Amino acid sequence: MANNTADHLPGNSVAEGNHDGDFGCTVMDLRELMELRSAEAVGKIRDVHGDVQGICRRLKTSPIEGLSGNPADLEKRHTAFGKNFIPPKKPKTFLQLVWEALQDVTLIILEIAAIISLGLSFYHPQGNDSNACGQVVGGVEDEGEAQAGWIEGAAILFSVIIVVLVTAFNDWSKEKQFRGLQSRIEQEQKFTVIRKGQVIQIPVAEIVVGDIAQIKYGDLLPADGILIQGNDLKIDESSLTGESDQVRKSLDKDPMLLSGTHVMEGSGRMVVTAVGLNSQTGIIFTLLGAGGEEEEKKVKKGKKQGANENRNKAKTQDGIALEIQPLKSEEGAESEEKEEKEKEIKKVNVTKKEKSVLQGKLTRLAVQIGKAGLIMSAVTVIILILYFVIYTFGVNKQEWKAECTPIYIQYFVKFFIIGVTVLVVAVPEGLPLAVTISLAYSVKKMMKDNNLVRHLDACETMGNATAICSDKTGTLTMNRMTVVQAYIGDTHYKTVPEPEAINPEILELMVNSISINSAYTTKILSPEKEGGLPRHVGNKTECALLGLVLDLKRDYQPIRDEVPEEKLYKVYTFNSSRKSMSTVLKNADGSGFRMYSKGASEIILRKCSHILDAAGQPRVFKPKDRDEMVRKVIEPMACDGLRTICVAKRDFIGDEPNWDNEADILTDLTCICVVGIEDPVRPEVPEAIAKCQRAGITVRMVTGDNINTARAIATKCGILLPGEDFLCLEGKEFNQQIRNDKGEVEQERLDKVWPKLRVLARSSPTDKHTLVKGIIDSTVGETRQVVAVTGDGTNDGPALKKADVGFAMGIAGTDVAKEASDIILTDDNFTSIVKAVMWGRNVYDSISKFLQFQLTVNVVAVIVAFTGACITQDSPLKAVQMLWVNLIMDTLASLALATEPPTEALLLRKPYGRDKPLISRTMMKNILGHAVYQLVVTFTLLFAGEKFFNIDSGRNSPLHSPPSEHYTIIFNVFVMMQLFNEINARKIHGERNVFDGIYRNPIFCSVVLGTFALQIIIVQFGGKPFSCTALTLDQWLWCIFIGVGELLWGQFISAIPTHRLKFLKEAGHGITKEEIQQEEQTEDVDEIDHAEMELRRGQILWFRGLNRIQTQMDVVYTFQSGQTAVPGALRRQPSVVSQHNDAKTVSSPTHVGISSSSLSANSAAASGPSAPASSSTAGSDV
C-alpha cells in the first residue's frame, strides 16, 4: 500500500507546486467515487488513491489537524468543489400568483357578468321603443344616466382586480415569510469540524470539501464523506436506499458516508468529499428539480385519473420527499410491496385525519356555509327572473320585441350579478386569510418565546393539547450535571471526597476510566465570563464525570493526549438498548486488553463479579452483595433525585476474544465506583407545570432514568401531587400491563393504565411511542386526547412524529429529533411549552373571534340581499358595495382580530380538545343576536327610512337611475354597524368589557380607524361606481349613532344566560368518536375526511370560499412538505398522500400544484404526486 501511495504522489505534488489552486482530484472524480458502495468503494480507493490518507493528501488536508481555515483556501475549495447549499425551488412570481388568484370560479363568474353588463350598456335601441322597454319596472331614466350604464360593470371589474391583487400580495408575502423562516432554520443547523487542530462548530453551509468532520450518535450528515476513523458506527441510510436496516461502517468494509443519512450509533471522523449539489442528496434534488415542473403539469392533466395511482406511489419514508424504491419491487416481487404500501397508505390517511384539528373543523364549516350560500343565491336569481317575467309579460301584458332583447338581457345580467353577489357575501373568504395571518403572526412572535415552529399547524394544534409527555433531563431539569455523592472503596461519601481520602490505585483507575471511556468531543471549557460556571460541551453526564476528575485535582486532557482516539482498540458506544459505554485498550506490552465500562448502575452492577475494596483490591461481589448495595447506596441516592452511574473495568489476558459477542464481553466486570449525579430541577418548572394543570393539561414524565430518581424529580416538579391517585411504572411493568399473551399491545388494556399514569421510568423509545399512540387513539374519557411530546435523542424520533405536536430540544437535541419535530425549543425549557400552549389557544380564539364577526356580516348581508331583491327587485346593497363590505372589511378585520396578543387568562380554561365545535353556543347567541339587531335596523331603513330622514325613496328605481340618498344611508349604517360589531367580536366567551386590552393591540385600533376613514371617502366621493351620494353631517351622526347601538345591544345579549337557549345549535364540529370507529372499519384507501368527501361529490365547485380555505391548507402543507430543505429531512408522512388527494378534490387549477410556496426542491416531489413513475425513476438513477 505504501508503494501504491508513492506511485501517485510525485505527479500530484508537482501539480500542487505549479498551480496553487489545483487539487489532486476533480469534482467528477469524487462524485464517481461517492457513487460506489462497500467493497467496490474500498477497492477503488485502494487502486486510485492508496488509502483514505491519500485522498486527504490530494485534498490538501490533514486527518488530525483539519484545514487551516484560511479564507483564500476556503474560497478556492468553493470554486473547485461548490458550496454546501442546495438552492430552493424558485418562488412563484407576483404575476403567477395574480394568475392563480384569477382562477377563482366566483371571480370568473363576476368578470363574465361584468363584461356582459359593460357590452350591453353601450347598446341603445333606436326610436321611442326604448321607453317601452325601459318602463318595464320603475320610472323613466334620463339621457345622462343611460350614458353612465357602463359604470357598474366597470366598478365590478375594478373590484375584482383589487381582490386579485390583495390575494396575490398575501400569497407573496406569506411565501416570503416562509423563506425567511426556512433560512433561519438552516442557519440554526451547525456541525462539528476540525480546523487548525481545534474542534469547532460551523454552520452546515460553510462546510467545504476537505474538511475533517466529527460525527456522533444522532447526527444528520450534511455532506458526503469517507470515514477516517470510526467507533462502532452504524448509519440509517433508509432516506437514500429505502432499506431500513442500519449499515455498519468501517474503514476496511464500507467507509462511504452519505449526506442526508442519520448516525444511529457510534462516533468517528470523516473527510468531506462532496457538498451541495454534488453530494448524493444534492444529485437527487437536482433530478427532482428538473422533474418538478413537468410533474406539476402532469398533475393538472392527470387530475381525473383514478385512485389507484395512490397505491402505486412509493411510500413516503423518513427521508427525502420520496423514497427511492428498492430494486426488488421492480424486478417482480411486487405483491408483497403492494400490500405493504396499501397498509402504509391506510395508516397515513388515518394520521392525516388526526393531523390538524382546526383544519378539519374549518373545512366542514366552509362546506356547510358554501351550500347554504349556493342555495340562497340560486333562489334569489330564480325569484328575480320569475318576478320580472311575470310582471312584464303577465301583468303589464307586454310583448317580447326583438329590439328590446338587449335591455331584457341587461336586466337578467343585473339579476345574475345580484345572485353572484349573494354568493360572494355568503362565503367567508376572509376566513383562510384570518387563519394565515393569525398563524404567521403567532409563529413570528413565538420565536421570541423560544419556540421555532417548523410546521405551521402545530402552533394551533398546541392550543388543543390535553396531555404533554415530557422528557426529564434537560427539559424539566437544568441539564447541568454535577457529581454530588460517591461510593468508593466500601465508603459512601455524601459529598465529593478529597483526593487524599481515596486509595491512590483506585483514584488512578477512576481517572483513567473516566478520561478514556467517554466521547473525546465531551470537554469542560473555561467559563465565558469572569466568575461564571465552566462550560460543558458534549454529553452532559460525561461532563459531570469529567468534572469529578477535576474536583479530585486531576486533569483528563494529558491522559487523552497519551491515548488518542486512534489508539482505542474497540468502542461500544452508548445507545438506548445498551444503556452503557465501553472502551477497549490494548495493553502497552501487548499482553492483553483492558476494557473500561460505565453506565446505569443497576445495569452495570448486574454484570459485575468483583468490586474494589478500601485497599484497592478486587473482592468477590455476589448477587446478595449487589442487593444490599442497591438498598443501602443506590436507592438512597435515587430518592434524593440523583442519577446513579457505575464505573467498572475488565482485564482480558491471553487470546483475543470475539469482540462481536457482546454478551460475553460485557460480563465479569470489576466495579471501581458508583457516583450520584445531581441534575437540579429548573427553578421555573414547578410553576409552569402548575399552570398546565390549571389549564387542564396532564403532564407526564417519560424518562430512561431509575424509577426512584424519576419519582423524586416528579415530586419536586409538581407532576406528582400529594394525595393524588397516580401510577409510576417502569417500562417492563408497563409492557406487562398493556400487552396480551402474544406480546401485542391491546388498546383496552392501555386505556386502563394511561389515565392514571404520571411517571414512566426506565422506558425504551418503543415504550414512549406506544404510550403516545395509545393516548392519541384512545376513545375513553369525555374528549379525545391531543398529545404533545418532548424529546431530544435520536430514539425519540418515532414518538415525536406520532405525537400531534413534537417538541425537540434546540440545544441538547440531536438532528434526528429536530427533523422529526414540529416545534424546536431553542432554550430547551419546559416554560416555553406553556408559552406555545398560550399562543396555540390564542390562534384558535382569534379565528373564533373572526368567525363570530364574519358570520354576522354574512348572515345579515345574505338575508338583506335576498329579501330586498325579492321584494324590491333590487338589492339594497349593490354588488360593488357588497364587494367592499365583504372583501375589504374581511381582509382588514382578519388582520385586526387575528393579531390579538395572548393573555394569561387563556390558561385558565380547559382545552377544547378534538371534538369541540368551532362555534360555541355563546358565539351562536352573539351571531344571531347581532344579526337580529342589524336586520331590524336595515329593514326599518329600507321600508321607512325615507320618512324618518325626510328624503326620496330609493325603492323601485329604474335600471340606470342615479344613486339615492336613501340607499346610501342604508349602506353607510350597515358598515357602521359592522365596525362597532368588530369591537364586540373581540370577546367570545360572553365577557362584558369588550374594550379590555384594546390598547395593547395597535393593529386593531388602526384597522378600525382606517376602515372608518375609507368609508367616509367612499360615501362622500364614491359616486356612481359605489352607488353612493354624499350625505350631510346630520345624516352621518345618525348613522354613527345607530352603529354605536351595536355596543349597547351587545351588553344586552351578554346578559342573556346561554344555558337557557337550548335551541341554539353549535357548528363546525370536529370528528366524533362514532365517525372514527366507522373510519377504522372502512376499507376505502382513498377516503380522507368527511368534508373532503363531500367536496368530491362535485356539488360545491362553484364556491370561492373553498379555494380560499385551500390557500390556508397550502400554507400548512407547504410547511409539512417544503419546509425542511435540509437535505434528507425527515418528513411528516401524511403530506404526500394527502396532497395527492387534495389535488384531485378541488377542480380549480389554483391549488393543484400545492407547493404554492415550495421552499425547496423536495416539495417538487410532493407537488407532483400523480407522477409516481418519474419520482421513483429519479430515485433509482441514483
Side-chain angles (χ1 to χ4, degrees):
M1 205 152 103
N3 297 344
N4 195 349
T5 316
D7 291 347
H8 283 280
L9 276 174
N12 201 15
S13 46
V14 174
E16 284 181 17
N18 295 347
H19 308 284
D20 211 18
D22 277 359
F23 295 94
C25 40
T26 64
V27 176
M28 288 321 291
D29 294 344
L30 291 172
R31 256 178 87 154
E32 281 167 22
L33 178 61
M34 291 317 295
E35 298 204 342
L36 303 174
R37 300 282 174 273
S38 46
E40 244 185 306
V42 175
K44 174 93 177 209
I45 293 172
R46 194 177 52 243
D47 299 344
V48 179
H49 305 281
D51 58 2
V52 182
Q53 311 290 335
I55 293 178
C56 291
R57 282 194 289 278
R58 291 187 167 206
L59 292 175
K60 298 186 184 173
T61 182
S62 152
I64 311 293
E65 296 281 313
L67 296 175
S68 64
N70 171 1
D73 176 49
L74 297 179
E75 194 46 51
K76 268 179 205 149
R77 290 173 191 275
H78 279 154
T79 316
F81 302 108
K83 294 189 175 180
N84 195 24
F85 171 70
I86 295 175
K89 208 172 142 193
K90 273 191 190 153
K92 289 191 175 162
T93 61
F94 187 70
L95 285 175
Q96 280 173 305
L97 293 169
V98 166
W99 176 245
E100 281 189 4
L102 275 170
Q103 311 297 313
D104 190 322
V105 183
T106 336
L107 287 183
I108 293 171
I109 297 173
L110 269 181
E111 286 158 24
I112 293 168
I115 290 165
I116 295 172
S117 166
L118 260 179
L120 292 172
S121 67
F122 293 117
Y123 173 81
H124 298 293
Q126 300 301 309
N128 297 329
D129 289 338
S130 60
N131 273 1
C133 306
Q135 282 175 331
V136 179
V137 178
V140 184
E141 54 178 42
D142 67 40
E143 201 55 30
E145 291 307 326
Q147 304 307 318
W150 59 274
I151 289 182
E152 187 176 30
I156 290 177
L157 281 182
F158 183 69
S159 307
V160 166
I161 290 167
I162 298 274
V163 176
V164 165
L165 290 176
V166 167
T167 312
F169 179 75
N170 281 324
D171 287 348
W172 180 77
S173 55
K174 193 166 63 193
E175 180 145 339
K176 198 170 150 205
Q177 248 175 345
F178 294 161
R179 285 183 182 262
L181 184 60
Q182 174 62 20
S183 62
R184 157 102 193 241
I185 285 176
E186 280 174 1
Q187 283 157 14
E188 295 260 320
Q189 206 195 5
K190 291 194 158 68
F191 208 75
T192 312
V193 297
I194 300 170
R195 288 196 179 166
K196 276 198 207 156
Q198 295 292 312
V199 176
I200 57 167
Q201 284 210 320
I202 61 169
V204 164
E206 289 176 21
I207 292 175
V208 294
V209 169
D211 257 324
I212 305 298
Q214 286 203 336
I215 53 176
K216 61 181 185 310
Y217 159 77
D219 282 345
L220 171 77
L221 298 185
D224 292 356
I226 299 173
L227 192 64
I228 298 176
Q229 175 266 322
N231 307 318
D232 197 19
L233 198 59
K234 286 187 188 161
I235 306 278
D236 171 12
E237 292 188 348
S238 60
S239 57
L240 289 180
T241 60
E243 298 294 343
S244 55
D245 297 340
Q246 292 175 12
V247 183
R248 189 182 281 276
K249 297 288 179 181
S250 62
L251 281 165
D252 48 351
K253 300 259 170 55
D254 184 0
M256 312 310 269
L257 301 169
L258 307 173
S259 58
T261 59
H262 296 112
V263 182
M264 300 312 279
E265 219 172 284
S267 61
R269 289 206 312 274
M270 71 169 189
V271 57
V272 175
T273 52
V275 293
L277 290 172
N278 297 311
S279 65
Q280 292 302 299
T281 307
I283 293 167
I284 293 175
F285 271 85
T286 316
L287 291 169
L288 288 183
E293 313 275 308
E294 293 146 39
E295 283 188 22
E296 229 168 272
K297 286 175 197 158
K298 280 183 200 164
V299 181
K300 292 190 184 186
K301 282 182 201 159
K303 244 186 317 171
K304 296 178 186 126
Q305 288 168 12
N308 294 337
E309 293 188 1
N310 222 2
R311 298 177 185 162
N312 304 340
K313 189 162 22 46
K315 57 176 189 274
T316 46
Q317 259 282 354
D318 291 306
I320 306 168
L322 81 165
E323 177 210 336
I324 292 92
Q325 284 184 310
L327 292 171
K328 61 167 189 177
S329 67
E330 286 164 24
E331 284 162 11
E334 254 187 358
S335 57
E336 265 182 84
E337 197 73 358
K338 256 196 182 167
E339 275 171 34
E340 258 183 61
K341 269 178 223 159
E342 290 186 21
K343 273 185 216 154
E344 183 81 13
I345 288 167
K346 259 181 216 171
K347 253 192 292 186
V348 162
N349 273 336
V350 175
T351 34
K352 156 72 174 83
K353 271 178 210 134
E354 302 291 300
K355 223 46 254 157
S356 170
V357 182
L358 186 67
Q359 213 173 302
K361 292 180 183 178
L362 281 177
T363 311
R364 296 175 138 225
L365 195 64
V367 169
Q368 291 161 0
I369 296 172
K371 276 183 178 168
L374 193 62
I375 293 165
M376 289 290 270
S377 61
V379 171
T380 310
V381 175
I382 293 166
I383 289 178
L384 284 171
I385 291 176
L386 284 176
Y387 190 99
F388 174 78
V389 170
I390 293 167
Y391 187 83
T392 310
F393 304 117
V395 180
N396 288 354
K397 299 194 166 54
Q398 291 208 353
E399 290 172 22
W400 185 296
K401 296 178 185 160
E403 60 271 23
C404 283
T405 303
I407 288 191
Y408 294 146
I409 290 177
Q410 222 164 325
Y411 270 105
F412 291 148
V413 168
K414 178 181 164 184
F415 299 150
F416 186 61
I417 288 178
I418 292 172
V420 173
T421 313
V422 171
L423 176 60
V424 168
V425 174
V427 178
E429 65 285 297
L431 186 56
L433 184 62
V435 174
T436 307
I437 290 174
S438 183
L439 287 174
Y441 171 77
S442 304
V443 165
K444 221 172 185 176
K445 294 284 186 191
M446 281 171 82
M447 276 191 189
K448 290 181 184 159
D449 286 338
N450 303 309
N451 283 290
L452 181 62
V453 181
R454 297 179 67 252
H455 297 121
L456 254 191
D457 57 341
C459 166
E460 150 266 311
T461 309
M462 199 52 218
N464 290 305
T466 55
I468 297 174
C469 295
S470 173
D471 257 5
K472 174 178 75 69
T473 311
T475 315
L476 301 173
T477 60
M478 289 170 80
N479 205 9
R480 186 175 179 89
M481 304 202 187
T482 40
V483 174
V484 289
Q485 294 187 23
Y487 180 85
I488 307 169
D490 290 343
T491 315
H492 185 174
Y493 298 95
K494 293 287 186 177
T495 55
V496 175
E498 290 299 314
E500 297 76 41
I502 304 172
N503 179 300
E505 286 180 30
I506 298 182
L507 184 60
E508 194 61 33
L509 270 174
M510 262 177 69
V511 171
N512 278 346
S513 175
I514 290 170
S515 306
I516 292 168
N517 183 33
S518 58
Y520 279 25
T521 48
T522 304
K523 294 186 177 74
I524 294 182
L525 305 176
S526 51
E528 281 177 334
K529 291 181 188 142
E530 196 75 19
L533 291 165
R535 282 181 298 153
H536 286 184
V537 178
N539 182 301
K540 299 297 185 275
T541 311
E542 290 181 350
C543 285
L545 293 170
L546 294 176
L548 174 65
V549 170
L550 298 176
D551 290 345
L552 294 170
K553 316 277 189 294
R554 302 294 291 270
D555 190 1
Y556 59 87
Q557 199 52 52
I559 300 170
R560 287 182 171 182
D561 294 342
E562 200 180 309
V563 186
E565 273 186 289
E566 289 75 34
K567 285 194 181 172
L568 304 180
Y569 194 81
K570 171 82 181 154
V571 179
Y572 297 95
T573 51
F574 178 89
N575 66 24
S576 53
S577 54
R578 240 182 233 146
K579 292 210 186 300
S580 68
M581 173 179 178
S582 307
T583 303
V584 179
L585 292 177
K586 195 164 189 171
N587 293 339
D589 55 6
S591 61
F593 301 90
R594 168 167 285 180
M595 177 175 78
Y596 292 118
S597 291
K598 67 164 190 288
S601 53
E602 57 262 53
I603 290 171
I604 295 285
L605 284 176
R606 228 177 275 140
K607 295 173 177 172
C608 285
S609 58
H610 293 80
I611 187 166
L612 296 181
D613 59 17
Q617 296 306 311
R619 180 182 78 234
V620 174
F621 187 62
K622 298 196 177 98
K624 69 173 189 338
D625 301 332
R626 186 179 71 230
D627 296 341
E628 188 181 352
M629 187 163 169
V630 166
R631 199 171 60 253
K632 289 191 173 167
V633 179
I634 288 169
E635 280 184 4
M637 280 187 186
C639 291
D640 290 341
L642 305 183
R643 292 179 73 169
T644 53
I645 300 284
C646 177
V647 179
K649 71 172 182 82
R650 179 179 178 185
D651 287 314
F652 296 90
I653 297 154
D655 296 339
E656 182 172 347
N658 175 8
W659 299 115
D660 291 335
N661 190 348
E662 227 175 287
D664 290 351
I665 301 291
L666 283 178
T667 183
D668 199 19
L669 305 175
T670 302
C671 170
I672 301 171
C673 66
V674 172
V675 296
I677 296 177
E678 181 183 47
D679 185 6
V681 170
R682 287 177 181 265
E684 62 276 20
V685 160
E687 192 196 341
I689 286 180
K691 275 184 187 169
C692 282
Q693 288 162 342
R694 274 202 301 277
I697 300 169
T698 311
V699 182
R700 294 181 173 83
M701 180 199 285
V702 183
T703 175
D705 237 337
N706 175 315
I707 190 153
N708 295 320
T709 311
R711 192 183 283 125
I713 299 278
T715 310
K716 284 183 191 171
C717 292
I719 291 176
L720 301 180
L721 298 171
E724 255 197 3
D725 178 23
F726 55 76
L727 281 175
C728 289
L729 295 177
E730 279 197 339
K732 199 185 291 178
E733 203 182 333
F734 172 69
N735 278 309
Q736 283 165 0
Q737 293 196 19
I738 63 164
R739 291 179 189 274
N740 59 20
D741 306 337
K742 294 178 187 165
E744 295 161 342
V745 177
E746 282 189 2
Q747 187 67 42
E748 295 80 52
R749 291 180 179 222
L750 225 164
D751 286 344
K752 287 179 191 147
V753 175
W754 73 258
K756 287 186 180 178
L757 184 70
R758 290 293 175 276
V759 175
L760 183 59
R762 282 277 173 258
S763 63
S764 69
T766 325
D767 297 340
K768 194 171 187 176
H769 183 261
T770 308
L771 176 65
V772 171
K773 183 176 183 304
I775 298 178
I776 291 177
D777 292 348
S778 173
T779 49
V780 299
E782 291 169 29
T783 56
R784 303 224 14 257
Q785 299 281 309
V786 176
V787 184
V789 168
T790 71
D792 54 4
T794 306
N795 47 13
D796 293 326
L800 286 171
K801 287 186 74 179
K802 177 66 198 167
D804 292 292
V805 182
F807 285 92
M809 302 297 138
I811 303 167
T814 59
D815 292 346
V816 179
K818 288 179 191 173
E819 290 299 337
S821 71
D822 300 290
I823 298 178
I824 296 173
L825 296 177
T826 51
D827 63 347
D828 287 15
N829 194 334
F830 189 84
T831 43
S832 303
I833 299 178
V834 181
K835 296 253 179 67
V837 171
M838 210 158 80
W839 275 107
R841 290 186 174 191
N842 193 50
V843 167
Y844 207 90
D845 278 7
S846 295
I847 286 157
S848 296
K849 286 173 191 175
F850 179 72
L851 264 176
Q852 178 173 300
F853 171 71
Q854 170 84 66
L855 294 181
T856 312
V857 179
N858 290 11
V859 167
V860 175
V862 168
I863 294 177
V864 167
F866 176 71
T867 45
C870 297
I871 297 169
T872 67
Q873 285 72 63
D874 189 7
S875 170
L877 297 173
K878 300 288 181 286
V880 177
Q881 293 173 352
M882 291 266 216
L883 286 172
W884 154 246
V885 169
N886 197 48
L887 293 157
I888 316 302
M889 297 273 290
D890 281 6
T891 308
L892 293 173
S894 60
L895 189 62
L897 292 168
T899 51
E900 287 272 323
T903 59
E904 288 282 331
L906 288 166
L907 294 174
L908 298 177
R909 62 168 174 77
K910 297 281 177 271
Y912 288 144
R914 267 183 217 281
D915 26 24
K916 174 101 168 50
L918 259 182
I919 300 173
S920 63
R921 277 226 174 110
T922 312
M923 286 171 63
M924 195 58 97
K925 175 184 78 175
N926 290 344
I927 291 169
L928 296 179
H930 287 294
V932 167
Y933 175 82
Q934 294 184 13
L935 286 170
V936 168
V937 168
T938 312
F939 285 133
T940 307
L941 286 176
L942 179 59
F943 297 111
E946 71 272 22
K947 298 189 185 89
F948 181 73
F949 283 106
N950 195 17
I951 48 176
D952 294 335
S953 166
R955 294 190 301 279
N956 298 335
S957 52
L959 192 61
H960 296 302
S961 57
S964 64
E965 274 183 293
H966 183 188
Y967 274 24
T968 306
I969 289 175
I970 293 175
F971 167 55
N972 202 22
V973 165
F974 184 75
V975 171
M976 288 302 122
M977 291 192 295
Q978 303 320 325
L979 260 187
F980 286 99
N981 193 30
E982 199 168 328
I983 299 171
N984 280 328
R986 291 184 66 244
K987 303 293 171 197
I988 51 171
H989 298 297
E991 298 93 329
R992 283 299 183 85
N993 182 2
V994 290
F995 290 99
D996 179 35
I998 198 164
Y999 300 115
R1000 286 192 304 130
N1001 189 357
I1003 299 179
F1004 183 88
C1005 300
S1006 48
V1007 162
V1008 170
L1009 294 172
T1011 313
F1012 185 64
L1014 280 170
Q1015 179 63 15
I1016 294 176
I1017 294 168
I1018 286 173
V1019 170
Q1020 298 303 101
F1021 310 107
K1024 183 78 186 176
F1026 276 96
S1027 308
C1028 286
T1029 183
L1031 299 180
T1032 63
L1033 182 62
D1034 206 26
Q1035 290 165 334
W1036 263 103
L1037 290 173
W1038 272 110
C1039 293
I1040 293 170
F1041 173 72
I1042 295 171
V1044 172
E1046 265 289 345
L1047 294 175
L1048 303 173
W1049 181 252
Q1051 293 300 310
F1052 170 71
I1053 291 176
S1054 57
I1056 303 170
T1058 311
H1059 61 84
R1060 293 280 174 85
L1061 306 172
K1062 290 277 188 290
F1063 61 88
L1064 285 181
K1065 287 276 191 291
E1066 298 155 324
H1069 284 266
I1071 297 173
T1072 59
K1073 288 183 194 176
E1074 292 73 37
E1075 287 172 6
I1076 285 205
Q1077 278 147 12
Q1078 285 169 12
E1079 280 158 10
E1080 281 167 1
Q1081 290 158 11
T1082 51
E1083 287 301 306
D1084 176 14
V1085 174
D1086 232 21
E1087 177 213 337
I1088 298 193
D1089 182 317
H1090 293 279
E1092 283 163 309
M1093 279 168 58
E1094 289 194 60
L1095 300 186
R1096 206 166 284 173
R1097 293 179 191 139
Q1099 307 161 330
I1100 309 158
L1101 298 177
W1102 298 93
F1103 293 174
R1104 72 182 311 166
L1106 246 119
N1107 285 1
R1108 300 286 171 82
I1109 291 279
Q1110 198 75 13
T1111 314
Q1112 180 249 343
M1113 291 187 179
D1114 272 5
V1115 175
V1116 175
Y1117 288 144
T1118 299
F1119 252 65
Q1120 285 180 356
S1121 65
Q1123 167 61 24
T1124 40
V1126 185
L1130 280 170
R1131 167 107 292 100
R1132 287 233 133 192
Q1133 284 188 327
S1135 60
V1136 175
V1137 179
S1138 56
Q1139 283 182 15
H1140 178 66
N1141 286 315
D1142 273 307
K1144 290 190 311 200
T1145 303
V1146 180
S1147 80
S1148 136
T1150 325
H1151 303 288
V1152 170
I1154 286 183
S1155 56
S1156 76
S1157 38
S1158 322
L1159 299 174
S1160 68
N1162 68 352
S1163 57
S1167 67
S1170 299
S1174 53
S1175 47
S1176 50
T1177 41
S1180 42
D1181 293 349
V1182 180

